[in-house]
Amino acid sequence: YCKEEESREAPPPTPGPTASPTAKKECTTTMNADIKCTVKDVNTGNPIFDNGVAVDCNDKDIVSKAGNCEVVMEYCYEASHEGTECLEVTEFVRVQDGEFEDLMDEFKASTIRQDAKVCDKRANPTAVCEEVTVNLCEECVDSKTTLDVIGMEGTAECPAEDSLAVKNCRECEIEVAIDCKTWDENNARFINDCSDGSQFSFVGVNECVEKIRLCYTVTNVGSTCATMDDLTTDGLTRTVTNGDLVATSDMSVDDAVICPNESVTKCEEQTVNSCSCMSVVVEIDAKNPADEGCDARATYGYCKEEESRGDSPASSPKPRPPVTYPKPAPYPKPRPPKP
């Protein structure tokens, strides 16, 4: 037999050699990225130093070292590389708290020839800085910053990155004190202390019923403002115990925010039985700008001296001791008769 000619198919052509892709060049130098944050004086713009070292933004004593609640935090973003040949930076991106910012133009302008190149023969590292003014007594700083840099070594990419977290929130610290005065009828004002400071003896002028004024002073002894947002439940609470009387209440404070070295005072008048002991407990709750709580507590008490209480047995006249009389001399015994 013989297959028909038109049914014969020509064999497929032999494939030629496959072209291999060009190998990606590797970076032979080290590119560096660095973020620094230091503190500057808000008035002069000068860096603040502590023992010759620039104060870092995470320093916990910035307020005391700056002598001011308001300061400038300077963030500097640097790029450098370890090598003699200049590298051209093609990417310079800052991401802070999720906000993307391309600082390539600013970086290029900061290089010596404004060509975005860095090397040992020029300024190395080269930095871009930006400033933010904060009041550490009224706000907390809590941020995370990332810097992404790419330098080109020919056609090879040399990437680098750095990140910096700044968290600076002062602890809340408050104190509370109690002052107690009694009403003076002669001067028509509250003038006398409720106690003498040693025996807690009442020094009012009346026998048992006394009009007193209690003042509660809250002082911020920390370095951040104390915020009392919810005065009904988290405000100033005082408990007065006087005999059978127990009075507890929340007191509204006029100023909801007290900053360092500031005080707020709240006073109230009470009529109490000074023949019964009295104790006063006051508590105050506050928060710093980061909602971290702080509290303070103070107590005060007195007891009227026992001998001054009109209704106490000690004030009644003591019974006189029984009167004793000398015993009479014995009668002489009769003498017997003489014989």
Side-chain angles (χ1 to χ4, degrees), residues 200-228:
F200 298 106
S201 60
F202 204 85
V203 292
V205 295
N206 298 320
E207 185 60 31
C208 285
V209 179
E210 299 288 352
K211 185 179 179 181
I212 66 171
R213 183 185 66 189
L214 291 166
C215 288
Y216 316 105
T217 300
V218 181
T219 303
N220 188 337
V221 296
S223 56
T224 187
C225 293
T227 305
M228 291 164 281

Side-chain angles (χ1 to χ4, degrees), residues 178 214 216 235-240 246-251 268-270 280-283:
I178 304 173
L214 291 166
Y216 316 105
L236 188 149
T237 303
R238 66 99 178 95
T239 302
V240 179
V246 178
T248 302
S249 66
D250 296 332
M251 300 183 64
E268 64 171 335
E269 296 180 8
Q270 296 275 357
V280 182
V281 178
V282 62
E283 296 177 333

Side-chain angles (χ1 to χ4, degrees), residues 305-325:
E305 293 178 350
E306 189 71 21
E307 59 269 19
S308 68
R309 297 183 182 178
D311 57 354
S312 65
S315 62
S316 303
K318 295 181 180 180
R320 294 182 179 180
V323 180
T324 58
Y325 298 95

Side-chain angles (χ1 to χ4, degrees), residues 12-84:
T14 304
T18 303
S20 61
T22 303
K24 187 177 180 180
K25 290 186 177 182
E26 298 290 336
C27 182
T28 61
T29 185
T30 302
M31 193 75 193
N32 298 314
D34 192 22
I35 306 175
K36 297 178 181 178
C37 185
T38 54
V39 182
K40 301 171 72 174
D41 188 278
V42 70
N43 297 314
T44 65
N46 296 327
I48 298 173
F49 291 93
D50 182 34
N51 294 325
V53 179
V55 175
D56 188 82
C57 292
N58 280 310
D59 194 299
K60 298 305 179 184
D61 294 320
I62 291 178
V63 173
S64 60
K65 292 175 181 178
N68 196 343
C69 291
E70 193 173 30
V71 296
V72 173
M73 289 187 172
E74 183 182 53
Y75 291 81
C76 287
Y77 315 107
E78 300 179 347
S80 64
H81 84 96
E82 300 174 6
T84 57

